[in-house]
Amino acid sequence: MPVDHEQVAVAAAWARVRQNLRASAGQRLFDRWLKPMELVAPDGDGVVRLTLPSAFMTDWVRNHYAERLTHEFRAQLPQVRDVVVETATALQTRIVPPAPLADPAPVPVAAVPQRAPVEHPALDPRYRFDRFVVSASNRVAFNAARAVAEPGVPRFSPLFLHSGTGLGKTHLMHAIGHAFLDTDPAASAVYLPAERFMFEFVAAMRARDTHGFKARLRGVDLLMIDDLQFVAGKDATQEECLHTINAFMDAGKRVVIACDRSPALLDGIDPRLLSRLGGGLVADIKAPETELRHAILAAKLAEVPGIAVPGDVVDLLAGRIRGSVRELEGALNRLIAYASLTGDTIDMAFAHATLGEMLAGPAKRVTIDDIQRAVSAHFEVKQLDLISARRAQVIARPRQVAMYLAKRLTTRSLPEIGRKFGNRDHSTVIHAVRRIEELRGVDREIDTAVRTLLRSLEG
Ligand code: ADP
Ligand code: MG
C-alpha cells in the first residue's frame, strides 16, 4: 500500500480502536493508560507502532493490552500484521494527533499531514518556555534560548546547548520553535534529531536526491539539530551537517544545536565544524539543585489537580532523585499512576514501596576535601588552618566539626580521617566526634552549624 494511503487508513483504524477501547476498558483506566498512546508514522510494513511516554506505562500496556490491540486493529484493517507498543523516543514522527474522542467519524484526510521527505517531528505542545522552571543551573541556557527565539536579526548563531541527559535541552529547543513561530507565523522552523538528519540524508542519497534534500532545508528560517553527538564519527553525514549549518549561518539564519557534551569534548567531529559550533553562544545546563527539584515537582503537581502528595513525600523525591529532571518527573508520574490504580493514598510508606530502588539513588559521594571546604567557608577559617597544628579554639572547634562530618558522611576509617587532618591520631578523631555529639545537645549554635553543613553537603 502506498505510504500516504496507509497513513490515512491506519489513522482511521486507530480512531475506531480507541473508541472501542474506551468503551470496554472504562474511562478511568482508559484515561490513565490508553489515552496517552500515540500512533507513529507507518513504515508500510504492516506493523502498527504505538508509543507511550514512559517505559513504565509501556510495560503495563504490553502486559494487559498487547493481544487486544492486535485483535482490534486487525478487525479494522486486515492487512495489519502486528501491533508494537514502545516507549516514545525523540526519533519517532508522531503523525496523528489523537483523534477527538467525542467524534466517532473517521479522521479526515486533512488531519493527517502529508509527509515531505524532510519532515520534523511536530513540536511538543508541552515544551514551552512558560513550562520551563528556571534556576541558577539552567538560567543561562534559558535566557539564551529566549534570545535566539526573538524576531529580527539573531544576536548570535549558533546557540549550542549542552548538558547530561534529561536536563531540559529538548524542552528548550521545542520552546524556541514555538516562540519563534508564535511571533512570526509566516516563518518556518525545522527540529531534527541528528539521527533523523542522518536518516533523511542517507535516504536522499539512495534516491539520488540530495539536491532536493538541501532545497527543502534552504527555505527554513530556524534550524534545530538535537543530540548532535550522534553524527560524531559518521563522515558523510557530518560533512552534510557542516554544509547545512554553514549555509544557514552564512545566510544570517538561526541555528540551535543540542548535544550531550561541549564542543570541546566532541570527538570524531571535523575541527572546522567544531570551530563553527563553538563560535556562537555555548550554554550548558547543570544538574538541578534542590530548589529547582522542588519547584519542578510543585509545577508538575499543579498540573494534576485532585492528586494529594504530602509535603514529606515531595521532600523525599526532591532530596533523593537528583540526577535529572526526567527521573524526577518519572518518579512522580509513577507514584501518581500506581496510586490511581490501587486507590491507595500517597504517603511515605507508599512512596517507599512504589519507588524503592529509585529512592536509593546514586548516593552522593562526599569527600573529606568537600567537607573541609564547606566547613572553612562556614566558619570563615582557612582550609589550611583545619589541617594545621593550631589549637586556638576558633580553629579547633571548626576542625572538630569537620572531623565529625567526615565520620558521618564518608566511609573513611578513623585513622584515614586523622591523616587528612594534618596527620592526627585516630584517638583525636574519636574525641572530636564525641565532643561535637555532646555539644549538639547543649550548644544551639554548634547544632545549627552542623545541620546547615549537613544539608549543604548532602545535597
Ligand atoms: P534532554 O533533552 O536534556 O535530555 P529533556 O528536554 O527531554 O532533556 O527533559 C526531560 C524532561 O524533563 C522533559 O519532560 C522536560 O519537560 C523536563 N524538564 C527538564 N528541565 C525542566 C525544567 N527546568 N522545567 C520543567 N521541566 C523540565
Ligand atoms: Mg533531548
Side-chain angles (χ1 to χ4, degrees):
M1 212 174 1
V3 169
D4 288 350
H5 291 152
E6 193 197 30
Q7 272 192 18
V8 176
V10 173
W14 174 223
R16 287 190 296 269
V17 169
R18 292 183 94 221
Q19 299 283 358
N20 295 347
L21 288 176
R22 184 172 64 156
S24 62
Q27 193 69 42
R28 183 152 161 224
L29 214 122
F30 178 82
D31 282 348
R32 181 63 63 199
W33 302 101
L34 302 170
K35 196 171 167 192
M37 269 193 295
E38 286 181 348
L39 182 61
V40 175
D43 281 337
D45 56 0
V47 177
V48 172
R49 288 192 175 73
L50 298 168
T51 63
L52 277 160
S54 73
F56 170 63
M57 291 174 94
T58 308
D59 280 346
W60 195 90
V61 170
R62 274 190 197 145
N63 287 335
H64 297 84
Y65 274 88
E67 277 183 51
R68 180 68 196 279
L69 281 165
T70 313
H71 175 79
E72 287 277 353
F73 258 103
R74 284 205 186 124
Q76 303 293 338
L77 211 61
Q79 53 281 54
V80 168
R81 283 198 298 119
D82 204 358
V83 176
V84 179
V85 181
E86 300 162 335
T87 308
T89 68
L91 257 184
Q92 275 139 352
T93 311
R94 285 169 296 201
I95 53 149
V96 186
L101 280 164
D103 177 10
V107 178
V109 178
V112 184
Q114 301 294 309
R115 271 189 64 203
V118 175
E119 173 73 34
H120 53 96
L123 296 175
D124 190 319
R126 293 167 309 160
Y127 292 169
R128 290 183 156 271
F129 283 134
D130 59 10
R131 291 177 81 164
F132 192 82
V133 185
V134 185
S135 79
S137 57
N138 58 27
R139 181 164 288 118
V140 174
F142 177 80
N143 287 341
R146 289 274 293 262
V148 87
E150 277 166 16
V153 179
R155 281 199 268 152
F156 47 81
S157 185
L159 167 60
F160 191 102
L161 297 171
H162 68 95
S163 77
T165 174
L167 298 183
K169 299 181 297 296
T170 298
H171 186 136
L172 281 180
M173 285 188 130
H174 285 240
I176 292 169
H178 285 300
F180 184 67
L181 296 177
D182 286 350
T183 47
D184 184 0
S188 61
V190 161
Y191 165 82
L192 271 175
E195 263 187 301
R196 181 96 206 166
F197 185 99
M198 230 156 71
F199 172 83
E200 301 279 4
F201 179 65
V202 170
M205 283 205 307
R206 288 221 184 94
R208 301 184 189 287
D209 185 31
T210 52
H211 185 76
F213 174 81
K214 287 176 197 159
R216 276 185 294 274
L217 279 178
R218 206 168 295 139
V220 167
D221 305 297
L222 163 65
L223 173 69
M224 297 182 283
I225 298 186
D226 202 352
D227 291 318
L228 186 77
Q229 68 273 9
F230 283 116
V231 306
K234 317 235 166 45
D235 289 342
T237 331
Q238 224 190 88
E239 188 73 10
E240 192 50 38
C241 227
L242 169 68
H243 283 314
T244 308
I245 292 171
N246 276 337
F248 264 75
M249 292 181 20
D250 291 343
K253 292 179 178 179
R254 289 167 175 75
V255 177
V256 181
I257 308 286
C259 188
D260 71 350
R261 63 202 86 161
S262 75
L265 295 179
L266 260 177
D267 287 331
I269 291 247
D270 186 323
R272 287 171 300 160
L273 178 55
L274 277 188
S275 78
R276 200 96 216 233
L277 292 176
L281 187 74
V282 178
D284 70 333
I285 305 179
K286 301 194 175 63
E289 59 276 63
T290 314
E291 314 134 68
L292 181 63
R293 300 196 299 267
H294 273 282
I296 283 173
L297 290 174
K300 301 286 163 198
L301 281 171
E303 287 171 11
V304 278
I307 299 274
V309 181
D312 52 357
V313 173
V314 173
D315 289 347
L316 179 74
L317 297 189
R320 297 279 181 87
I321 304 176
R322 303 186 180 133
S324 82
V325 179
R326 185 177 291 127
E327 288 170 83
L328 192 62
E329 276 186 0
L332 183 65
N333 290 341
R334 183 150 151 186
L335 270 191
I336 294 173
Y338 261 92
S340 76
L341 206 65
T342 58
D344 289 344
T345 25
I346 300 177
D347 57 17
M348 289 296 267
F350 181 82
H352 278 287
T354 310
L355 299 175
E357 77 291 359
M358 281 178 98
L359 293 177
K364 185 174 168 189
R365 293 261 312 261
V366 180
T367 66
I368 292 181
D369 192 54
D370 294 333
I371 292 170
Q372 291 178 343
R373 219 172 310 129
V375 168
S376 82
H378 184 90
F379 290 100
E380 298 181 0
V381 298
K382 295 201 188 84
Q383 197 175 333
L384 271 181
D385 282 338
L386 293 178
I387 58 177
S388 74
R390 289 183 59 189
R391 286 156 180 261
Q393 176 91 346
V394 285
I395 306 292
R397 190 68 83 222
R399 183 186 294 132
Q400 287 178 327
V401 169
M403 288 179 175
Y404 167 84
L405 292 171
K407 181 70 197 117
R408 267 194 68 161
L409 299 178
T410 73
T411 52
R412 300 282 174 186
S413 66
L414 295 170
E416 280 174 315
I417 294 172
R419 272 201 292 281
K420 294 272 188 182
F421 283 86
N423 264 331
R424 286 179 159 78
D425 192 83
H426 80 279
S427 62
T428 311
V429 183
I430 296 179
H431 174 72
V433 173
R434 294 212 180 115
R435 185 80 189 114
I436 298 301
E437 266 164 7
E438 268 166 35
L439 284 175
R440 284 192 70 184
V442 292
D443 185 331
R444 188 75 161 279
E445 220 173 291
I446 288 288
D447 186 52
T448 311
V450 169
R451 276 170 195 276
T452 310
L453 285 161
L454 276 173
R455 215 175 313 126
S456 80
L457 285 162
E458 285 182 315

